[in-house]
Amino acid sequence: MDKQELQKLRDLPIEGVAERLGLQVTHHKCLCPFHNDHHASLSFKVSKNTYRCFVCGESGGPVDLVMKYLRKDFREACRWLADENNIILTEYKPEEYRPQKPFDASRYEQFFEHPWLNDEARRFLFDERRLDPRVVRWCRLTSWKDKQGVPWLQTPYYDRDGRLIGIQNRNLVKGALPRFRFPQGAECSIYNLPVLNLLKPGETLFITEGCSDCWAMLSAGHKAIAIPSATLLKRKDAEQLSILNSCVPSVASDQRSSAQFSILNSQFSIRFAMYPDNDVPGERLFLQLKEVLPSLVRYQLPQGCKDFSDYYLTTQKFLKNS
């Protein structure tokens, strides 16, 4: 892990990290988890991205908070933060790769031509997540096992033109670390961009947090893309969404006149919608996206559903029992 990667972890919003840990932050304060607190004595200083308890004296930044709260060492705390925020760390990359090498798509493209799902992947996708098999095929999800026999789900990331730009490997052993691994140079930002080429005039495009919610949204019959994390909306992702705000189908667009392009732009403008997670980070993410996409429509999840995947599973169980 180099200095730039470590700085990314230290720059994660301290209150967002606290909320990911399960702390209830209100007005930049919460109950201190490090002593028997009853009066919200743990305070967050957003300008310095730090926390401090004025009773027991515990203080620090995002990495320190994870280390102390989860009782992890420095390396484990960094891994946890990276996993929670889809940040790629050098230590997650196979040793045979050198940091300066770019992502070698040709090395991996063959794995997604004929996807294969092991028993662990099938249980995760179809029994636990209850996904539509057509969605799994569309997303070209595949699986593999490492030398230690650990099963991994392999998720490809494509740009809008269908070029492989990154891969996310998800550990299918619950609670195991690392949860994710990324090949050298992988670019895993906005997920499922090829779906933009299937949008019809005036159709709604849902924005979800993470691949799992995106798969659930697709299985529910909607078109969707996903951003990596609610804790931190990357500037590059925000810029890409801003471009999509005036997106039109790419078919023969380079052959059209500027007047024709303007007409198509108004006809094919994308309607953005979102089901924010039922927590503070989800609400914060919606507000951040609303600044980038002023027309973004909010849909409220039912009480008791923490995210859209949870809502989708609830509806699937209801349909099965009815």
Side-chain angles (χ1 to χ4, degrees):
M1 180 169 55
D2 60 30
K3 292 181 179 180
Q4 289 184 338
E5 292 168 346
L6 179 57
Q7 193 59 47
K8 286 181 181 180
L9 301 180
R10 288 173 171 165
D11 288 341
L12 291 169
I14 186 67
E15 292 184 349
V17 172
E19 288 156 354
R20 281 295 186 196
L21 289 169
L23 302 177
Q24 302 297 317
V25 181
T26 305
H27 303 303
H28 308 300
K29 292 183 178 181
C30 73
L31 292 174
C32 180
F34 309 124
H35 74 278
N36 189 18
D37 193 14
H38 301 283
H39 301 288
S41 57
L42 191 71
S43 179
F44 299 94
K45 194 163 187 176
V46 177
S47 60
K48 293 187 176 181
N49 209 36
T50 59
Y51 71 92
R52 179 179 178 83
C53 177
F54 292 95
V55 175
C56 69
E58 288 292 341
S59 63
V63 179
D64 303 295
L65 183 59
V66 174
M67 289 175 62
K68 180 69 176 180
Y69 187 80
L70 297 181
R71 298 181 180 179
K72 295 179 178 292
D73 62 24
F74 179 79
R75 185 183 296 270
E76 290 174 338
C78 289
R79 283 180 175 177
W80 186 90
L81 280 170
D83 284 343
E84 287 293 316
N85 296 278
N86 208 40
I87 294 174
I88 301 173
L89 299 182
T90 303
E91 62 180 350
Y92 285 4
K93 302 169 186 174
E95 294 179 359
E96 64 265 24
Y97 291 110
R98 295 184 179 276
Q100 67 270 23
K101 286 187 177 181
F103 176 66
D104 184 6
S106 62
R107 181 185 178 92
Y108 300 97
E109 287 172 336
Q110 57 180 322
F111 301 138
F112 305 107
E113 292 176 359
H114 303 286
W116 172 78
L117 298 175
N118 54 36
D119 292 339
E120 293 85 353
R122 288 184 173 277
R123 281 196 295 270
F124 175 75
L125 296 171
F126 302 127
D127 297 339
E128 295 180 25
R129 299 287 177 168
R130 297 180 181 272
L131 300 179
D132 189 322
R134 293 172 296 179
V135 171
V136 174
R137 289 195 296 270
W138 161 259
C139 295
R140 301 187 193 182
L141 303 180
T142 189
S143 60
W144 61 287
K145 289 188 178 182
D146 60 24
K147 293 180 180 179
Q148 289 72 42
V150 176
W152 296 84
L153 180 69
Q154 200 164 44
T155 303
Y157 280 67
Y158 296 95
D159 64 15
R160 188 179 175 183
D161 295 323
R163 291 186 292 263
L164 183 65
I165 58 175
I167 295 172
Q168 179 194 78
N169 292 293
R170 179 177 186 140
N171 196 326
L172 293 176
V173 177
K174 290 186 177 179
L177 287 176
R179 280 176 55 197
F180 301 104
R181 284 173 55 182
F182 305 87
Q184 166 66 29
E187 185 179 345
C188 301
S189 53
I190 297 180
Y191 177 68
N192 198 35
L193 287 174
V195 78
L196 297 174
N197 299 318
L198 302 180
L199 285 172
K200 298 176 182 178
E203 196 169 14
T204 298
L205 179 68
F206 282 88
I207 301 176
T208 67
E209 179 197 344
C211 297
S212 295
D213 278 1
C214 187
W215 299 333
M217 187 67 73
L218 293 171
S219 295
H222 305 291
K223 291 185 174 66
I225 58 175
I227 60 172
S229 171
T231 305
L232 182 65
L233 179 63
K234 298 177 184 177
R235 179 180 299 177
K236 183 177 181 180
D237 295 339
E239 291 174 350
Q240 195 164 8
L241 287 172
S242 181
I243 294 173
L244 294 181
N245 198 28
S246 57
C247 184
V248 298
S250 59
V251 179
S253 60
D254 57 338
Q255 300 177 2
R256 303 181 187 277
S257 67
S258 58
Q260 290 174 319
F261 188 89
S262 178
I263 294 173
L264 281 172
N265 188 48
S266 62
Q267 290 178 340
F268 287 95
S269 59
I270 300 174
R271 297 179 181 178
F272 294 96
M274 183 181 185
Y275 280 88
D277 288 3
N278 264 335
D279 54 21
V280 177
E283 179 66 24
R284 183 185 297 118
L285 174 62
F286 173 77
L287 295 176
Q288 288 179 303
L289 290 173
K290 188 73 173 177
E291 293 180 2
V292 180
L293 307 169
S295 62
L296 181 64
V297 176
R298 176 193 182 123
Y299 290 93
Q300 185 67 46
L301 289 168
Q303 195 68 26
C305 294
K306 63 181 185 298
D307 54 29
F308 189 82
S309 290
D310 195 20
Y311 178 39
Y312 173 74
L313 285 174
T314 300
T315 58
Q316 290 300 299
K317 290 177 182 177
F318 175 79
L319 291 172
K320 183 178 180 179
N321 296 330
S322 61

